Structure formats: structure tokens, C-alpha cells
Amino acid sequence: FDCQGGYAADQKTGDLPDDVKVVLDIPTVFGNCVSPGTDEGRAIMQVIHDVAPGADLTFHSGFPGQAGMVSAINTLSSVEGVDIIVSDLVHLTEPMFQDGLIAQAVDAAVASTSVAYIASAGNGGLSSYEADFDPGIGDENFFPGAAILVDTDFDPGKSPAEYPFFN
């Protein structure tokens, strides 16, 4: 949040209010951030402040690793007045096809409190996947054992009884 020391300047310019609660920033040793801090968290807070200028802001670092993120989610969901948790962190060791530790912490926080959790979809830019839309019409059969009948002259004004394959 403030490894680069820009919070005071943000207060003077109105980019951030002077009452941001910082529960946990990246740890420091002799006043220097342990890891090279980019203050990306403060930048996200600036965006939130622009969108919702009257909102109370509370910051908690999601580092280090999955355990740090789980701790941040658990802590923030129990802080009085925290309604929305926003994250843009990606943890490459989080499982893709099942709920890992972070997803479980999010599920528990959302289920047990009124907090909403918003996560970025990623910053992959040009390394993302892109393809033309495939409506699934043709030789594909997404439902094994069932025939997919397609009416190329579909008319939403017709009742289902007017289509021959429903009779």
C-alpha cells in the first residue's frame, strides 16, 4: 500500500482520503518493504475512491502466498464496516478445477457474512485465449445419447407445438 511512500501525496491531491485503514501492509525491515513494493494496492484504492468517493477504505496485503491471502480474506471479512473485498492477486499454485484454500476462504466469508468478494479476471493481455464464437452446431454432440436438432428458421414467435420435432 505505501512501500513507496506516496500515500501522503495522495491525501494532498484528493486521490485518497486521509482515513484509509491499513490492517497489514507488506512487512518492512528497517523501514523498507521486504519485497519490492509497487504500491499496486494503493492504486486499486485510488480507483475505488474515484468510483465510490464516500466509501470507507480498508487495506490488507494478500502476501505472502496462499496462506497470506487466506488470512487477509478471513481478517477483512470480520472487520466492522467491510462490505466488499477486492483482489487482483493471482496465485498460480491455486488449483484450476477444484476449490483450493483461497476459494474456500472466499466461500466461507461470503456465506457467513454479508461481504461481497470481487476478483479480477486477470491481466494476461495478449497472452489470453481468443477464438471465434462456436455455437456448437454441426457434428458436435455435447449431450451424448441425445440428438441436437437445429431449426435454422427459428422464429421466437412460434409456439413449441409449431415445430415438427416437438410433435
Side-chain angles (χ1 to χ4, degrees), residues 1-10 25-26 28 31-33 35-43 46:
F1 178 80
D2 199 23
C3 284
Q4 297 181 354
Y7 178 44
D10 287 347
D25 204 345
I26 292 176
T28 60
N32 297 314
C33 288
S35 67
T38 62
D39 287 356
E40 183 178 353
R42 194 176 82 245
Q46 292 170 352

Side-chain angles (χ1 to χ4, degrees), residues 94-101 103-104:
E94 185 77 347
M96 186 176 292
F97 298 110
Q98 63 186 5
D99 285 352
L101 296 175
Q104 291 173 36

Side-chain angles (χ1 to χ4, degrees), residues 62-137:
F63 289 105
Q66 289 186 43
M69 189 66 180
V70 168
S71 176
I73 293 165
N74 292 340
T75 300
L76 287 172
S77 65
S78 66
V79 170
E80 181 76 27
V82 171
D83 301 316
I84 302 169
I85 298 174
V86 177
S87 173
D88 76 331
L89 293 176
V90 62
H91 294 272
L92 298 177
T93 56
E94 185 77 347
M96 186 176 292
F97 298 110
Q98 63 186 5
D99 285 352
L101 296 175
I102 296 170
Q104 291 173 36
V106 170
D107 287 347
V110 170
S112 65
T113 66
S114 61
V115 72
Y117 187 89
I118 300 170
S120 71
N123 297 328
L126 296 176
S127 63
S128 62
Y129 175 77
E130 182 177 349
D132 292 335
F133 175 72
D134 180 0
I137 298 171

